[in-house]
Amino acid sequence: MRTGKMEPEKKRKRRREPGGGEAEAEAQAQAQAEPEAQYPPNFSVSEIKNKQRRQFMYQRWRRAQRKEQLAAKKKRQKEREALGDKAPPKPVPKTIENQRVYDETTVDPNDEEVAFDEATDEFSSYFSRETSPRILITTSDRPRGRTVRLCEQLAKIVPNSHVYYRRGLALKKIIPQCIARDFTDLLVINEDRKVPNGLVLSHLPNGPTAHFKMSSVRLAKELKRRGKDPTEHTPEVILNNFSTRLGHTIGRLFASLFPHDPQFVGRQVATFHNQRDYIFFRFHRYIFRNEKKVGLQELGPRFTLKLRSLQKGTFDSKYGEYEWVHKRHEMDTSRRKFHL
Amino acid sequence: MQHDDVIWDVIGNKQFCSYKVKTKTQSFCRNEYNITGLCNRASCPLANSQYATIKEEKGQCFLYMKTIERAAFPARLWERVKLSKNYEKALEQIDEHLIYWPRFIRHKCKQRFTKITQYLIRIRKLTLKRQRKLVPLSKKVERRESRREEKALIAAQLDNAIEKELLERLKQGTYEDIYNFPIHAFDKALERQDEESETDSSEEEDEDVGQVEYVEGDEMDESDLSDFEDMDKLEDNEEEQEQSSDAEEQELEKETSKSKGKAPVKGPAQKKRPFVEIEYEQETEPAAKAHST
């Protein structure tokens, strides 16, 4: 304790000494500079063994650093003002989105090959308006209250959808029945410990099956400042940031859940926003206050999805052909690399 | 010598038996050869020199028997008989092997065998159905993912993104005729055009400054300069009037269009030539008057 207090006093005395007389200050500064040059380079704060003194020295160092940074910042600001118009543009701060590792499968909007692929894949019949979606929503065995309510709310949001209670049936047996009854999509919400935690979305005739991890589920009741219940109007769909080939497939998978012609009268919009491989689902009612402002009111449920696997055919966990599987040890190593 | 009673006396009641599990109401026997699983005088395999059990291995049931003759040879103590998979035949086998054995053991063996077959059937039925696969969650991974999700949510700025997208769609006209906003959009487009044209004209002026041009002699005489004077004044008046009115945008547009229209004629005269006012007087009439008087 005593030694800790002694040191700053010593330093203060040293600083006061050069204050008297310029010539003396110079001589003393020179005298100090020479012995300093002989000493080994700066001691490091982490090598002090005494914890209290170490903390004290570290705090002092931090204060000095902050001062220096503030001074540098002020200087930069002054220079910027002095230059006025000629000042160089402000440097753009680095964000994870800026620093994202470029994915070679990123889709270029003018790419013909991608356009051709998309014209001939499993969704082409939807996008060419030959089929209109019909969705079957179900759960895993013995669903609990939350899951059941989520299913009901989803059924309200997605037009032309039906909820069926799963009586312990195997998905592989459900799927041919669905195809026979003309369903286009199968949505299974998996539950664990009374909370929905997974989503299997299968496009039916023979389309891809995506398995998602679902988190942060908020039912409509739990939202703050909520609007009234969603009406029967067909909502619009917004798909944000699906940039790679895989992202495109998933985006089209979501788009094919909703009928093609949204009813703008209803002013409802369902958003699937992809950010760093997390897909955020929101359902809003919007209103244009003037041509520059939109008001949004959140209605139905919200949840986030993270893609775990994409399978080429319909659901078949053992023998299916997986187009993409999330492998943690390979794919989670870099914080700047995203796949969707 | 096998003194069953003594053995039972020791392990059953008084002293320790390592297979015994005592609970509040009952005691159980953990010996693998025990037929009922309870710790009784009749069920204890250690305290009965003539004993039989049913044991199941990998779906196959066996009848194990021990007799007092083999008590001295522990390696050969238990005799094993494989039972048939057919339930009735197996029961007959049990009866056949345990003929003349005490009623208790026969009965309990058959009961145990029935129970075993029942649970084997159930296992087979369950394996055919879907099996729930339990996947272990790593707490570290779960925590990491939830943290990244929070950060992604903050970075996403969902409300802004959705609003932007909706406004884009409005501008592109996907909601034709439902909303009455498009007028403002048109005005904005006009403004943008005006700005572009002004910048263009200023650029033209800049370009022309300093360049040497050889222009044909103007047809305008000096006498016509007076007309240009008036025209200037007219123009100034008009400009003042226009600026005083409210709708500036339209007037700006008119001005620029007017300036464009006049530029080829007035430009050289107005902007580039130094303008000198010259008045001419006619001297013929006063001379005539002087002569008359």
Side-chain angles (χ1 to χ4, degrees):
Chain A
M1 287 277 282
R2 283 181 218 156
T3 44
K5 280 176 187 170
M6 284 268 284
E7 291 206 5
E9 287 169 11
K10 276 188 203 166
K11 290 245 165 175
R12 274 179 223 150
K13 280 177 191 168
R14 266 188 234 153
R15 275 180 212 152
R16 276 176 207 158
E17 286 171 350
E22 288 180 2
E24 289 179 356
E26 282 179 3
Q28 282 178 356
Q30 281 176 3
Q32 276 181 5
E34 284 167 349
E36 275 178 26
Q38 286 173 5
Y39 287 170
N42 296 334
F43 71 100
S44 89
V45 177
S46 55
E47 280 172 17
I48 303 177
K49 295 297 178 184
N50 184 334
K51 182 169 180 175
Q52 277 183 329
R53 200 170 349 149
R54 187 172 64 236
Q55 281 181 345
F56 175 80
M57 295 301 277
Y58 181 69
Q59 276 173 27
R60 235 193 11 188
W61 178 81
R62 284 285 289 177
R63 273 182 230 145
Q65 287 290 100
R66 243 180 282 157
K67 254 194 188 173
E68 279 174 35
Q69 279 179 10
L70 266 177
K73 195 174 167 187
K74 277 194 178 162
K75 193 173 150 201
R76 257 184 279 139
Q77 221 180 7
K78 272 191 184 168
E79 284 175 13
R80 177 168 275 276
E81 279 170 22
L83 283 178
D85 281 334
K86 292 184 256 168
K90 275 194 178 176
V92 178
K94 290 187 197 173
T95 63
I96 293 186
E97 281 77 30
N98 291 349
Q99 309 293 99
R100 175 179 175 173
V101 167
Y102 176 71
D103 197 333
E104 50 202 16
T105 60
T106 311
V107 174
D108 178 32
N110 307 327
D111 200 345
E112 289 168 354
E113 193 188 323
V114 173
F116 177 71
D117 277 338
E118 294 189 348
T120 52
D121 75 350
E122 295 107 355
F123 301 109
S124 54
S125 64
Y126 165 78
F127 282 102
S128 55
R129 304 200 183 213
E130 285 163 10
T131 52
S132 73
R134 202 168 158 226
I135 296 147
L136 180 70
I137 302 181
T138 183
T139 64
S140 56
D141 282 341
R142 314 259 177 123
R144 310 287 290 194
R146 262 186 92 83
T147 317
V148 169
R149 270 178 274 151
L150 178 66
C151 287
E152 286 168 21
Q153 285 171 9
L154 279 178
K156 268 198 221 165
I157 284 184
V158 179
N160 217 351
S161 58
H162 305 267
V163 183
Y164 274 93
Y165 176 62
R166 175 100 166 269
R167 299 156 91 256
L169 301 166
L171 278 182
K172 283 201 208 167
K173 289 191 187 157
I174 295 182
I175 285 175
Q177 287 186 23
C178 285
I179 299 178
R181 294 189 199 189
D182 227 14
F183 279 99
T184 56
D185 284 283
L186 175 68
L187 192 69
V188 183
I189 297 182
N190 189 49
E191 192 200 18
D192 179 47
R193 294 229 216 145
K194 307 180 195 176
V195 147
N197 73 344
L199 187 87
V200 175
L201 179 52
S202 185
H203 188 72
L204 271 187
N206 49 0
T209 308
H211 174 43
F212 298 94
K213 175 177 109 142
M214 187 157 49
S215 46
S216 306
V217 179
R218 300 274 173 273
L219 298 177
K221 259 197 202 176
E222 296 159 8
L223 295 172
K224 293 185 182 172
R225 286 180 236 120
R226 180 173 78 94
K228 293 190 182 163
D229 286 332
T231 57
E232 289 289 323
H233 296 109
T234 321
E236 297 173 46
V237 180
I238 291 183
L239 299 164
N240 275 346
N241 285 354
F242 289 97
S243 56
T244 61
R245 285 301 293 270
L246 180 65
H248 259 242
T249 321
I250 302 288
R252 285 157 73 80
L253 191 58
F254 286 129
S256 67
L257 287 177
F258 293 90
H260 239 288
D261 299 307
Q263 291 168 306
F264 298 122
V265 185
R267 284 189 283 127
Q268 290 174 142
V269 58
T271 311
F272 293 90
H273 181 106
N274 171 39
Q275 188 83 16
R276 303 182 194 175
D277 280 357
Y278 288 95
I279 302 171
F280 298 100
F281 171 77
R282 299 285 183 274
F283 192 74
H284 290 280
R285 185 173 281 143
Y286 64 87
I287 178 165
F288 284 107
R289 298 189 201 284
N290 54 40
E291 81 279 8
K292 284 194 200 176
K293 255 188 165 188
V294 189
L296 285 182
Q297 200 186 39
E298 187 154 6
L299 310 177
R302 60 155 82 156
F303 46 83
T304 45
L305 299 172
K306 187 163 198 275
L307 181 66
R308 280 229 200 100
S309 66
L310 181 66
Q311 214 178 45
K312 250 209 164 341
T314 54
F315 184 77
D316 190 339
S317 47
K318 273 196 243 170
Y319 303 113
E321 181 196 337
Y322 280 94
E323 212 177 292
W324 187 86
V325 175
H326 177 75
K327 292 185 192 136
R328 187 163 66 84
H329 292 284
E330 291 172 20
M331 298 182 184
D332 268 358
T333 46
S334 161
R335 292 182 205 210
R336 308 281 181 262
K337 189 163 168 42
F338 306 113
H339 309 280
L340 269 187
Chain B
M1 285 290 291
Q2 276 287 66
H3 302 285
D4 295 339
D5 292 327
V6 173
I7 294 174
W8 178 247
D9 214 23
V10 170
I11 62 174
N13 294 321
K14 290 188 190 152
Q15 292 193 20
F16 178 74
C17 172
S18 66
Y19 297 108
K20 192 175 196 174
V21 174
K22 268 176 114 170
T23 50
K24 275 193 189 160
T25 45
Q26 246 197 12
S27 32
F28 296 96
C29 183
R30 284 193 309 127
N31 193 319
E32 52 179 347
Y33 290 97
N34 190 313
I35 197 162
T36 54
L38 308 169
C39 189
N40 288 329
R41 175 71 184 82
S43 313
C44 187
L46 307 171
N48 289 300
S49 33
Q50 197 186 42
Y51 200 77
T53 356
I54 308 283
K55 269 173 64 166
E56 176 258 330
E57 249 176 71
K58 293 183 197 167
Q60 264 293 324
C61 293
F62 297 94
L63 171 67
Y64 284 75
M65 292 174 285
K66 86 165 180 180
T67 45
I68 196 163
E69 286 84 34
R70 297 196 301 270
F73 313 108
R76 285 178 259 157
L77 186 58
W78 289 95
E79 179 191 339
R80 182 164 103 157
V81 173
K82 187 168 171 180
L83 294 173
S84 110
K85 298 231 175 169
N86 187 338
Y87 181 67
E88 282 90 26
K89 279 201 191 150
L91 285 180
E92 284 170 12
Q93 274 180 308
I94 293 174
D95 264 333
E96 178 201 322
H97 285 273
L98 295 182
I99 195 166
Y100 309 129
W101 278 54
R103 220 178 309 139
F104 175 79
I105 291 189
R106 259 187 291 148
H107 183 59
K108 288 296 178 188
C109 273
K110 287 186 208 164
Q111 269 190 340
R112 192 179 170 89
F113 176 71
T114 313
K115 208 52 156 214
I116 288 177
T117 45
Q118 282 173 352
Y119 81 59
L120 285 175
I121 290 169
R122 211 157 152 242
I123 288 176
R124 274 180 239 133
K125 214 194 287 183
L126 282 177
T127 50
L128 290 177
K129 276 192 181 178
R130 300 143 43 230
Q131 307 239 322
R132 194 170 278 212
K133 186 176 175 192
L134 294 174
V135 176
L137 297 174
S138 161
K139 213 201 297 187
K140 167 183 169 185
V141 173
E142 291 304 306
R143 255 192 257 149
R144 188 207 290 165
E145 287 197 345
S146 67
R147 187 101 180 102
R148 285 195 186 166
E149 186 189 318
E150 281 167 21
K151 301 248 169 177
L153 182 62
I154 294 170
Q157 295 179 336
L158 281 170
D159 290 337
N160 290 350
I162 298 175
E163 286 172 11
K164 227 167 60 169
E165 178 68 29
L166 288 170
L167 287 170
E168 280 280 323
R169 289 189 183 182
L170 180 66
K171 279 193 186 151
Q172 284 176 359
T174 41
Y175 313 123
E176 325 114 8
D177 298 338
I178 302 179
Y179 303 104
N180 291 328
F181 305 129
I183 299 173
H184 293 268
F186 182 64
D187 283 338
K188 274 193 186 171
L190 282 176
E191 272 188 20
R192 263 183 252 137
Q193 274 190 13
D194 296 337
E195 288 171 13
E196 287 172 10
S197 64
E198 282 176 12
T199 50
D200 286 338
S201 58
S202 65
E203 283 171 5
E204 287 173 8
E205 287 176 19
D206 289 335
E207 285 172 3
D208 291 337
V209 167
Q211 277 188 7
V212 180
E213 262 189 6
Y214 296 98
V215 192
E216 62 184 34
D218 286 329
E219 291 175 357
M220 297 173 283
D221 294 334
E222 293 179 340
S223 56
D224 291 338
L225 284 171
S226 57
D227 294 320
F228 284 120
E229 272 181 63
D230 295 336
M231 297 270 289
D232 275 339
K233 284 175 194 168
L234 275 175
E235 232 206 353
D236 290 332
N237 288 336
E238 280 175 8
E239 281 178 1
E240 283 166 21
Q241 283 171 10
E242 286 162 10
Q243 281 165 8
S244 61
S245 69
D246 290 333
E248 292 181 355
E249 299 170 3
Q250 295 170 352
E251 266 50 65
L252 277 172
E253 181 198 343
K254 285 177 192 168
E255 275 182 359
T256 48
S257 59
K258 278 182 185 171
S259 64
K260 275 185 193 169
K262 287 175 187 169
V265 178
K266 286 229 62 167
Q270 191 183 11
K271 290 169 188 172
K272 285 161 193 173
R273 267 199 206 167
F275 191 61
V276 180
E277 290 185 16
I278 303 173
E279 286 183 6
Y280 292 90
E281 287 178 6
Q282 292 177 357
E283 286 176 6
T284 51
E285 284 182 5
K289 277 182 185 175
H291 276 295
S292 62
T293 55

